[in-house]
Amino acid sequence: MPRGLYGRALLILLLPIVVLQLVISVVFIQRHFEDVTQQMTDSLLLELRYLVQSVEAAGAVEPVQPLAQALQIDLELGGAAVHGFRRAFYDWSGATVIGELRRNMGGVVAVDLAEDSRRVLMQVETSAGPLTIGFQRRKVSASNPHQLLVLMAVVGVFMALVAFIYLRNQLRPITRLAAAAEAYGRGRVEPYKPSGAIEVRAAGHAFLDMRARIERQTAQRTMLLSGVSHDLRTPLTRLKLGLSMAEGDEVAEMERDVDEMEAMLDGFLDFVRSDALEEAKPVDAVALAERVAEKARRAGAVVTVEQAGAGEVEIKLRALAVERALANLLNNARRYGKKAVLRVDLGERMVRYTVEDDGPGIAEERRDDALKPFTRLDMARNQDKGGGVGLGLAIAMDVARAHGGMLRLGESEALGGLKAELVLGR
Ligand SMILES: Nc1ncnc2c1ncn2[C@@H]1O[C@H](COP(=O)(O)OP(=O)(O)OP(=O)(O)O)[C@@H](O)[C@H]1O
Ligand SMILES: [Mg+2]
C-alpha cells in the first residue's frame, strides 16, 4: 500500500480500470474471437472438403482448378512438403484455426500459419497424393484482432493521465492545509487561504478559526501576565525602599520575601516572553550551547558541554527562546544538583539538547506534574533552594513545542539525577 495520498488515490482510481480492461479483454478474446474464427473456419471447411473430393474423383487437380480459382484457393498436387503445425506465439486465433482444421478435415498432415502471416498453407493426404492447399488468412479469422486491445490500452493510458492531472489539482488544497497546520505546529503563522472541495475548504476554515482562537488566547495570556507583573513591580519597589529604611528583627525576613516576589515576577515575564515574536534564524547549535553554559558558569554552575551526531551544525531556531529554555534547565541542575552535563546531539531531522545532573532527579510519576506551569514539587525540599515559581520547565516545554519538538524528562544514567531532553525539529 503506498503511503502518500497521491499513491493511494491513484491506486483506487487505476486498479478498477485495469481490472475491468483485463476482464473485458479476456472474455472478449475467448468468446468473440474464438467463436468468430471457428465459424469462419467451419464454412471454409465445406469448400475445402468439396475441392478435395473433386480432386480425388478426377485423380488430378487440373479439372478442379477453375472452381478453386473462383474460390481463391490454390491447389497443387505433389508440391513441396509443408512442415508440421506452426503458428506465431502471439497468434491466438491461429490456434483455433489449426484446431478446427485438424479436427474436421480428414487427412490433414500439416497447417503452417507462420511461413506467411497473411496466408494459410496446409497439406492433405488424398488418394491422388499429397495435396497442398493455400488460401488467404482473412478467409478464416477476423483480421487485426489486437486492434481492440491496443485501442483499449491507449485510451486507458490517456484517461489515466487525465485522471492524474485532475487528481493532483484536487489533492493540492489538502497538502497546502497540511503544510499550514504543520508550520503552525512549529510556531509559524503562514498565510493560508482555504480552497478546493467543500470538505477540504471546511477543514481549512476550521483550521483558521482554531489558529485565530489560539492566537487570541496567547495574546490574552501575554497581556494579563505582563500587565499584572508590570503593575505589581512599582508597589514592590516602593515596599523594598521602605523596608531598606525600616529597622527591626523581621526586616531581613521581609526583605527576603520581597526579593522572592521580585524573582517570581521576573519568572512571569519570562514565561510570557518565551513565545514573543522572535524570528527563527539559522544559528550554530553548538555555539549556542557553549554560550548558555558559559553564562551558567558565571552564575556558579559546574557545566561541561559535549557534542555528538553527524548532522548539520546550523539549525533554524529562535535563539533567544532556546537559550532561555536551556538556561532554565541548567538553572534547575544547579539548584537541585552539584554538576551538570549539557550534550548537543546533531541529528538529521532534529537537534537534541540533553541536560543531566547529579541531583535527586524526579520520580517517574511526578514528571508530568513538573512540566506544568506554576508547579513546584516537594515544597519542603525546595524551601532552602531559593525562590522559584515553577515555570522553568513549562517555559522550556513551550519553546520546544514552538520548534516542532518536545521536552522529555528521564533519569540520568551517568550522573544519577534528572535527564532533561530538549528536542528541536529542524
Ligand atoms: N534537575 C532537577 N532535579 C530535581 N528536581 C527538579 C529538577 N528540575 C526540576 N525539578 C523539580 O521540578 C519542579 C519544577 O521545575 P521548574 O524548573 O519548572 O520550576 P522551579 O525550578 O521550581 O522554578 P523556576 O524554574 O521557575 O525558578 C521543581 O520545583 C523541582 O521540584
Ligand atoms: Mg527551574
Side-chain angles (χ1 to χ4, degrees):
M1 198 64 178
R3 289 174 55 99
L5 196 54
Y6 274 123
R8 289 182 182 204
L10 219 59
L11 195 72
I12 293 170
L13 207 83
L14 284 189
L15 204 65
I17 295 185
V18 171
V19 169
L20 196 72
Q21 286 208 343
L22 278 180
V23 169
I24 288 182
S25 314
V26 168
V27 169
F28 192 80
I29 287 166
Q30 279 219 329
R31 284 286 151 80
H32 192 82
F33 281 134
E34 272 191 34
D35 285 1
V36 168
T37 306
Q38 206 169 345
Q39 282 165 24
M40 289 172 84
T41 311
D42 283 349
S43 55
L44 186 79
L45 268 169
L46 294 176
E47 298 169 10
L48 290 183
R49 274 200 219 103
Y50 180 71
L51 286 176
V52 170
Q53 275 167 20
S54 306
V55 170
E56 280 186 332
V61 279
E62 283 72 29
V64 192
Q65 281 300 12
L67 176 62
Q69 266 162 23
L71 292 173
Q72 294 185 332
I73 294 173
D74 300 334
L75 295 179
E76 193 186 351
L77 254 185
V82 176
H83 300 290
F85 299 93
R86 293 198 304 170
R87 67 177 175 102
F89 70 92
Y90 53 84
D91 190 356
W92 299 316
S93 53
T96 314
V97 172
I98 293 178
E100 279 302 297
L101 288 177
R102 284 181 84 169
R103 211 165 329 121
N104 299 322
M105 179 104 186
V108 174
V109 289
V111 177
D112 190 355
L113 304 177
E115 176 87 10
D116 180 350
S117 63
R118 300 161 90 176
R119 278 183 74 77
V120 178
L121 213 62
M122 58 189 285
Q123 201 157 41
V124 185
E125 270 323 322
T126 65
S127 57
L131 177 68
T132 310
I133 308 174
F135 52 87
Q136 282 178 334
R137 172 67 189 268
R138 58 186 169 78
K139 272 178 170 305
V140 283
S141 61
S143 52
N144 296 330
H146 38 267
Q147 245 173 21
L148 172 93
L149 300 185
V150 171
L151 193 73
M152 218 152 72
V154 168
V155 172
V157 167
F158 177 72
M159 290 314 285
L161 213 69
V162 170
F164 176 72
I165 293 170
Y166 189 70
L167 195 71
R168 213 178 48 181
N169 285 337
Q170 291 308 302
L171 293 188
R172 202 174 290 145
I174 299 178
T175 39
R176 276 185 50 231
L177 174 59
E182 200 193 324
Y184 190 59
R186 288 167 179 265
R188 280 197 313 268
V189 176
E190 281 185 354
Y192 166 75
K193 203 168 145 287
S195 62
I198 304 177
E199 290 85 353
V200 182
R201 221 180 274 240
H205 281 299
F207 164 69
L208 282 184
D209 287 348
M210 198 169 75
R211 189 168 79 177
R213 203 172 55 236
I214 295 176
E215 290 285 287
R216 225 170 26 239
Q217 271 171 6
T218 314
Q220 268 170 7
R221 187 186 73 175
T222 309
M223 251 165 53
L224 190 80
L225 276 178
S226 63
V228 167
S229 311
H230 185 262
D231 291 355
L232 281 182
R233 202 171 274 270
T234 322
L236 204 64
T237 316
R238 264 206 307 271
L239 205 61
K240 214 170 160 185
L241 217 66
L243 275 177
S244 70
M245 286 189 276
E247 283 170 27
D249 294 343
E250 290 102 35
V251 171
E253 210 164 302
M254 285 162 84
E255 268 180 334
R256 232 191 16 248
D257 278 351
V258 171
D259 281 344
E260 199 167 311
M261 280 168 82
E262 215 173 9
M264 285 180 188
L265 288 184
D266 284 344
F268 291 158
L269 279 173
D270 257 3
F271 184 51
V272 166
R273 254 185 264 129
S274 68
D275 47 11
L277 304 161
E278 188 191 346
E279 278 292 322
K281 276 202 236 35
V283 295
D284 184 325
V286 179
L288 185 144
E290 291 283 1
R291 231 172 18 243
V292 180
E294 190 48 46
K295 260 187 221 157
R297 277 186 208 117
R298 252 182 273 139
V302 184
V303 188
T304 43
V305 178
E306 294 172 3
Q307 181 187 340
E312 192 67 38
V313 187
E314 290 264 293
I315 171 175
K316 208 171 164 198
L317 45 73
R318 303 180 190 172
L320 286 183
V322 173
E323 275 178 33
R324 191 174 303 129
L326 285 180
N328 287 346
L329 296 179
L330 285 179
N331 197 18
N332 284 348
R334 179 168 63 96
R335 192 181 283 168
Y336 305 106
K338 287 197 180 59
K339 59 177 191 233
V341 175
L342 169 56
R343 198 173 57 241
V344 192
D345 280 304
L346 302 167
E348 295 258 310
R349 308 194 52 197
M350 51 94 209
V351 167
R352 183 174 53 217
Y353 291 102
T354 314
V355 176
E356 298 185 49
D357 65 51
D358 57 351
I362 303 178
E364 200 173 339
E365 66 276 7
R366 312 225 53 193
R367 284 177 196 152
D368 282 345
D369 286 336
L371 291 173
K372 288 181 190 145
F374 306 111
T375 328
R376 307 193 61 198
L377 308 174
D378 202 352
M379 291 307 284
R381 197 178 72 198
N382 285 345
Q383 218 109 68
D384 52 323
K385 306 276 186 182
V389 234
L391 280 176
L393 292 178
I395 291 175
M397 182 74 167
D398 252 19
V399 170
R401 285 223 181 100
H403 286 83
M406 63 183 313
L407 178 68
R408 269 196 300 261
L409 299 182
E411 198 188 316
S412 164
E413 273 170 28
L415 298 176
L418 184 75
K419 177 171 83 173
E421 292 176 306
L422 187 77
V423 184
L424 307 174
R426 277 191 187 275

